Amino acid sequence: MQQSIVKLLLFYGMAVFYGILVVFNLFIRMIKNPLKAIQSKERNIPPKCLSHPEVGTHSYITVNSVKIHYVEAGDRSKPMMLFVHGFPEFWYSWRHQIKEFSKDYWCVALDMKGYGDSDKPKGTTPYGLLTLVEDLRQFIEKIDHNGCILVGHDWGGAVCWVLLDNYPHLVDKYIIMNAPHYKVYGKLYATNDTQRRMAWYVNFFQLPYLPELSLRFGDFEFFDTLFRQFGTPEDVEAYKYTFSQPGALTSPLNYYRNIPFNKIEKQPVLNDSHPQGLFLFGSDDMYIVKDSVQMTATVVPNLTTKLVDNVGHFIHQEIPNEVNEIMRTFLKE
């Protein structure tokens, strides 16, 4: 008990430390360019790319007492391919995969709870990992499809891993990108100094208000930094519009704020009934060490791993054509 308290104090102590560094950085940037620091564009009308017919039609469903928004494309009679996004993304991050795979699958990309047009419950409790898994389980069962191809990235991948361990019968095959198995990530964070440094933002996001302020700084230039190299100006504007809406930053950050309270107990032993999966990882990920690939392969059966060089964390957006081809090859096996 005492050891747990010490770990928690150290965890929040690092949050304060990184908060001080961020405040100093924001102050320097404000001094250099005060006009840019305070600028903020009002966004009331969504960019046209979010409603373009080729990325699908918009629908809603209630699961676990929460309204979930999703976009679907393709023939409902075909196998379902379900896309689960990470942070700081929403359904639109799968646009390249929806366009490609809707020819052969019924593609469904949801806004996870707290994101986009889905409900945004207040507080951190609704964003516990097991609660998010229950959201996803009910979504799959209510959509009434016999099994699915499950595709997850980042936080979406973390949720998918727990779903797979508990409800493998809901999934035919799966593809997870740049999100190691939760047992692997927990071990890396506890023992690997490089991983702890790379995950500095996990500590920082524990703070109230300041993370939201830093992400809004300079009219959400955070999204310019993340996505401008592999997205069009309209793509970047889609992110800025989505995350500028009321509560649209706080709810996703609450995923992180609930991390110290996540408890995953009584996990079933993984066995040969675990569906066949692919773990795809961009080697230049700035947030997760690539050692996580081999480590995940040792704890998950029936898993194929592929490390792609010279690409980062958002692999499905950075090199969509190559990723789509890798996915097709795996699904044909």
Side-chain angles (χ1 to χ4, degrees):
M1 179 66 176
Q2 187 175 4
Q3 188 177 17
S4 298
I5 294 174
V6 171
K7 287 182 178 178
L8 201 60
L9 289 173
L10 288 172
F11 184 74
Y12 284 115
M14 291 304 295
V16 173
F17 171 74
Y18 287 123
I20 293 171
L21 293 183
V22 169
V23 168
F24 179 74
N25 177 265
L26 292 178
F27 179 74
I28 296 299
R29 289 159 65 190
M30 188 178 295
I31 293 297
K32 288 183 177 179
N33 195 338
L35 291 178
K36 184 177 180 180
I38 62 173
Q39 70 178 352
S40 181
K41 179 181 175 181
E42 188 174 352
R43 294 178 170 88
N44 298 319
I45 301 175
K48 292 181 180 179
C49 62
L50 295 181
S51 57
H52 198 286
E54 69 178 357
V55 294
T57 58
H58 297 254
S59 301
Y60 296 86
I61 190 172
T62 299
V63 300
N64 212 10
S65 302
V66 174
K67 184 180 71 174
I68 298 295
H69 166 255
Y70 64 97
V71 170
E72 58 179 312
D75 187 345
R76 275 179 170 255
S77 67
K78 292 181 178 180
M80 178 171 73
M81 183 177 285
L82 178 60
F83 297 97
V84 191
H85 67 82
F87 175 90
E89 299 174 289
F90 63 116
W91 72 266
Y92 188 70
S93 65
W94 298 110
R95 60 196 178 278
H96 303 294
Q97 286 69 44
I98 293 171
K99 293 174 186 176
E100 172 64 24
F101 289 100
S102 58
K103 309 166 191 172
D104 305 299
Y105 297 88
W106 176 39
C107 291
V108 178
L110 54 76
D111 279 333
M112 294 185 73
K113 178 170 60 184
Y115 283 85
D117 288 332
S118 291
D119 282 350
K120 301 172 179 60
K122 294 184 178 181
T124 60
T125 302
Y127 304 101
L129 191 52
L130 293 180
T131 303
L132 297 170
V133 171
E134 181 61 16
D135 294 344
L136 191 57
R137 180 190 71 81
Q138 289 190 25
F139 184 92
I140 295 172
E141 292 185 343
K142 278 199 173 186
I143 217 100
D144 196 24
H145 229 267
N146 296 321
C148 68
I149 306 298
L150 187 63
V151 185
H153 171 254
D154 188 75
W155 260 107
V159 174
C160 288
W161 282 124
V162 184
L163 178 91
L164 285 160
D165 287 356
N166 286 277
Y167 309 106
H169 63 283
L170 296 177
V171 180
D172 294 328
K173 282 187 174 184
Y174 67 91
I175 301 164
I176 293 180
M177 305 177 193
N178 286 72
H181 193 274
Y182 56 91
K183 292 179 180 178
V184 169
Y185 189 82
K187 183 176 181 179
L188 281 169
Y189 189 86
T191 62
N192 188 301
D193 290 338
T194 301
Q195 180 58 67
R196 279 197 296 271
R197 287 193 297 271
M198 293 171 78
W200 68 272
Y201 59 92
V202 175
N203 296 92
F204 172 60
F205 287 168
Q206 304 304 310
L207 299 175
Y209 307 117
L210 183 57
E212 285 91 333
L213 177 65
S214 67
L215 295 179
R216 285 183 174 276
F217 189 89
D219 193 36
F220 294 93
E221 66 178 5
F222 166 71
F223 289 111
D224 292 310
T225 303
L226 278 186
F227 298 133
R228 67 186 169 192
Q229 292 182 343
F230 47 85
T232 68
E234 189 177 29
D235 292 334
V236 175
E237 185 59 28
Y239 282 94
K240 290 186 178 185
Y241 166 80
T242 299
F243 284 91
S244 66
Q245 304 309 303
L249 280 175
T250 296
S251 294
L253 289 169
N254 282 344
Y255 279 58
Y256 292 93
R257 290 166 178 153
N258 195 80
I259 284 177
F261 311 104
N262 276 327
K263 294 186 183 299
I264 307 174
E265 299 172 348
K266 299 181 180 179
Q267 288 302 306
V269 177
L270 297 177
N271 53 49
D272 290 338
S273 67
H274 206 263
Q276 185 182 3
L278 170 66
F279 183 31
L280 183 59
F281 195 91
S283 66
D284 293 347
D285 195 313
M286 295 176 59
Y287 313 105
I288 304 169
V289 294
K290 61 184 178 182
D291 292 349
S292 63
V293 177
Q294 185 57 39
M295 292 174 67
T296 296
T298 64
V299 300
V300 181
N302 302 329
L303 183 69
T304 299
T305 63
K306 186 168 182 62
L307 188 66
V308 183
D309 291 330
N310 304 314
V311 65
H313 183 71
F314 300 96
I315 184 170
H316 57 308
Q317 296 192 69
E318 294 179 46
I319 52 168
N321 293 335
E322 185 176 344
V323 165
N324 292 346
E325 185 59 35
I326 293 170
M327 291 174 64
R328 280 204 176 275
T329 300
F330 166 72
L331 292 171
K332 287 178 181 177
E333 292 175 355

